[in-house]
Amino acid sequence: MKLLRAILLRLATMSVTLIGAAVVVFFVIRVVPGNPIAMMLPPGASEEDIARLTAHYGLDKTILEQFWIWLTGVFHGDFGTSISLRQPVMPLVLGRLPATLELAIFALVIAVVIGGAMALTGVRHRETRTETAIDVANGVGLSIPDFLWALILIVLFGVLMPVFHISGRISPSLDLPFVTQFYVFESIVRLRFDLWWDLLKHMFMPALALAIPLAAIISQLLKQSLKETMHLDYVTLSRTKGYSENHVILSEALPNAVLPTLTLIGVQFTFLIGGTVIIERLFSYEGLGNMAIDAVINRDLPLIQGIVIVFALLFTIINLVVDMTYALLNPRLRHA
Amino acid sequence: MSAFLTVKNLSAALHGFDQRVLRSVSFSIDTGEVLGLVGESGAGKSMIGKAILGILPSAISIIEGEILIDGQDLQKMKPADRRRFIGATAALIPQDPLTALNPSRRIEPQITSRLVDILGWSKADARVRAMELLNEVHIDNPERVMGSYPHELSGGMRQRVLIASAFAANPKLVIADEPTTALDVTVQKQILRLIRELQERHSTAMVFVTHDLGVVSKVCQRLSVLYGGKIVENSSVPDFFKGPKHAYSRALLAATPKYTDPDASLLPVDESVIEAVAAEVLAADKEWRHGR
Amino acid sequence: MLDGRGSIKRRLGARLWLSGTWLGVMALLALFAPMISPHDPLAQDLFAGRLPPFWMNGSDPAYLLGTDSLGRDVLSRLIHGARIAFSVALVAGLATAIVGSMLGLLAGYMRGWVDVLISRLVDIWMAFPPVLFAILLIAVLGTGLTSIIIAIVVIDWTRFCRVVRAEAMNQSAMDYVSSAIVAGRPRRDILWREILPNVLPTIVALLTLEMGIAVIVEAILSFVNLSISTDAPTWGGMIAEGRTSIYQAWWVLAFPLAVLFLTVLSFSQFGEGLKDRFDPVLR
């Protein structure tokens, strides 16, 4: 009962947040100067044409009226029509979302692998030069944001040692048999590992740029909690049982030290997704973030709204999932 | 036959410091014998147990001396061999049952892990053995306890589990590090009786670390009194309680409540006695340094 | 143990010292840019386009770090870029710190409906991808230095608000606050004289971090071409420019990138160093 009430409460605050986000974006972008309708018509279009199209997109109504129309539409699953692309917003957004999700998840995997490995190495060789080196690496990784890492990777592995692709999602010359937008997932299902490999080679650089700061955060926090755990009595006791240091770290200390890191990863994952906006732009990766920047440049109000709401929804869902995972993994909470 | 555990001239020190925390400690224990290590807090009594088990804090290391178990010199073994050897022959009963069990694992694997992972038992055999042991430590419903998490058990129950876990692999040597200090007074007696019972049944050699001379009189055959990481007196328990030889031991005994006469007034350890024993430790240090 | 702490202290000292030196040099360059820079950062010389830096073949000693595709001196643009970067860092950083810390202090000390309102606002803000938000704001506000600074404050006040709120709540629970309340001191007085001084070290550490972030945001916005004007010598603009010609003239990208990297790193390390210095446990 307690758990159910907690979940309901969370859902309530989530919806308040989402509606708040919708209101903020809706009103901020209505102040945008520049008439989007004038931008889409050829130069020299008549006043009537502009007026007619403005009315067509409902932009002649007051802001409050527009908001009401938009909000009722949203509850029917209708997010309006993109002005620049002249298509309904929802299919456009949903078509791009998988590319961004795949990139973000790949980045998360890289961050967990690198960060986890660094933390474990640091604890295994604690109070040695190795740990100092890892501390320095963590410090640098944390201080430099993904945008700069992306540029550095472009210079290093795109130009000086061109090993990876630094543009696009997949080589344009390839025939794509895909029916969904989840290319990586679908290429595995279809056993097309040639396509899968090409996708990964395109994703690796942007994903790594997104992953480095998160890897540093994971490494730092996990190492710290592992070190604290290593002093506890049950870890010492398991040493006397004849286990190796590696075993002691992995099976006694790690399960108890991992919880705070897990919570942090959840919060940081939303920041990582936020980072995809500029990273996709840098690597010409055709995801939601790249579309968002185009939408802003084109003053495509319905599309901007749609994208922002999808991002906000994604963030709140991730936070909810993290909280629930935390409750499931902690035996003390589970039985309470 | 030589003693089962022999510690010879064992010295340990903090890294980067000349000061020793264990000062040429020597003692030995036969199979089936219980030795009490007694001293005030900070006297280094727990440190000896940790040195034997190889779990000294990373800042402290052994600088000289030998630890022989069953004739084998631990200091000469490779770290991995030493670890496995200790895991198979020795066990620790820790001080604080509240922190000595892994909070995220059920009780069963915490008792059986050594049997399965180190000694190669099958899971089923280890489970049967764990049930047996929980019976031996007088836990009424072993089935339920094995499936529980530590936080679901009381302090006394957890200490029983830890004792069961310590005796799981029939260790020839058990180190009990103040096993009753963290428990309620009412539970202390039961746990003490239990440790004694298992030690006798398995005729284990045991090092019993405690600050409580009353406990020593009930559990141990012999005792060593420590001050500042140095043994100031080795004695058999009956002799000791008849009349300790060292002034510091006498003062310590006078400061302990007697079960026979709980109303007798307690004397705090006298300043002059402390000064004398500290001077003795420093003199021994000087001699030791000279000898090197 | 003691020597371990000694080495930690030494390491912290070196960190503070190194990052401080770099920031100091950059600040001086920014301050005296017109006097120091060898060329006019805007002057084009189409006959001297894409000259390499001094150690490479075909370089011109007049252009130490080479020129970009329009023949503008990279070194002079870097020096003038420092001016813009540090102005944004200082003004935007301070403004963000003041706005965010005020709201955080209010929420953490007043509690009640003020706290609920501010916290909900923070939640809403956290639901936006910050870069997208920044680009959106610049689209609304128009390009220019002032717009960038406003955008940074509007987006990043939550960073201070969250931390300061938590810290103010911690401090409010302390005995010295209770005794001040018992002594009948007015609430505003307690907030200013008791709580703020104790939260200040946290704010200062966050401030240097925020200055690094401001430099990055400016670079990102220049990169998306929404910052000042394409001509102005901003580090971000130089990076955007350099990226279009990485294969022909890598130095146009590499130098501003390296300077940006070191500056952002120094801001954050300086902040961390200060935090440790103020931390009574480590001190």
Side-chain angles (χ1 to χ4, degrees), chain A residues 127 233-234 236-237 239-244 247 252 255-256 331-332 334-335, chain B residues 55 58 83 87 99-105 110 113-114 117-118 149 151 162:
Chain A
E127 279 139 48
D233 287 350
Y234 62 82
T236 311
L237 186 62
R239 280 208 188 96
T240 68
K241 291 181 179 175
Y243 288 114
S244 66
H247 181 99
E252 296 287 338
N256 294 295
R332 257 167 290 195
R334 187 168 42 196
H335 292 275
Chain B
I55 49 171
S58 57
R83 227 170 34 226
T99 56
L101 287 165
N102 189 329
S104 68
R105 297 174 82 186
Q110 305 208 42
S113 64
R114 181 195 326 236
D117 298 336
I118 307 294
Y149 283 96
H151 69 269
L162 284 161

Side-chain angles (χ1 to χ4, degrees), chain A residues 89-109:
Chain A
V89 166
M90 241 332 95
L92 279 174
V93 171
L94 292 182
R96 285 293 189 94
L97 184 61
T100 298
L101 281 181
E102 283 191 344
L103 179 64
I105 291 169
F106 188 39
L108 181 67
V109 171

Side-chain angles (χ1 to χ4, degrees), chain A residues 13 16-17 20-21 24-25 28-29 31-33 132 135 139-140 143-145 147-149 151-152 154-155 158-159 166 271 274 277-278 282 292-293 296 299 304 308 311-312 315, chain C residues 11 120 123-133 135-137 139-142 162 216 219-220 223-224 226 239 243 246-247 250 253-254 257 260-262 264-265 268-269 272:
Chain A
T13 43
V16 173
T17 305
V24 170
V25 172
V28 164
I29 62 176
V31 201
V32 176
T132 313
D135 284 342
V140 176
S143 310
I144 305 297
F147 173 72
L148 273 186
W149 286 124
L151 288 164
I152 291 165
I154 287 175
V155 173
V159 182
I166 51 167
F271 294 158
V277 174
I278 192 70
L282 269 167
I293 293 182
V296 175
R299 308 283 190 272
I304 299 172
V308 171
F311 271 122
F315 289 3
Chain C
R11 216 161 75 207
R120 196 98 338 260
D123 277 353
I124 292 173
W125 248 246
M126 300 289 288
F128 297 120
V131 173
L132 183 56
F133 203 3
I135 292 168
L136 201 58
L137 281 173
V140 175
L141 299 166
R162 271 157 42 218
I216 283 285
I220 290 178
F223 180 80
V224 188
L226 288 169
I239 288 173
R243 198 175 154 262
I246 24 179
Y247 294 101
W250 56 264
L253 173 62
L257 188 55
L260 189 56
F261 182 92
L262 287 173
V264 174
L265 184 63
S268 110
Q269 293 303 311
E272 288 291 312

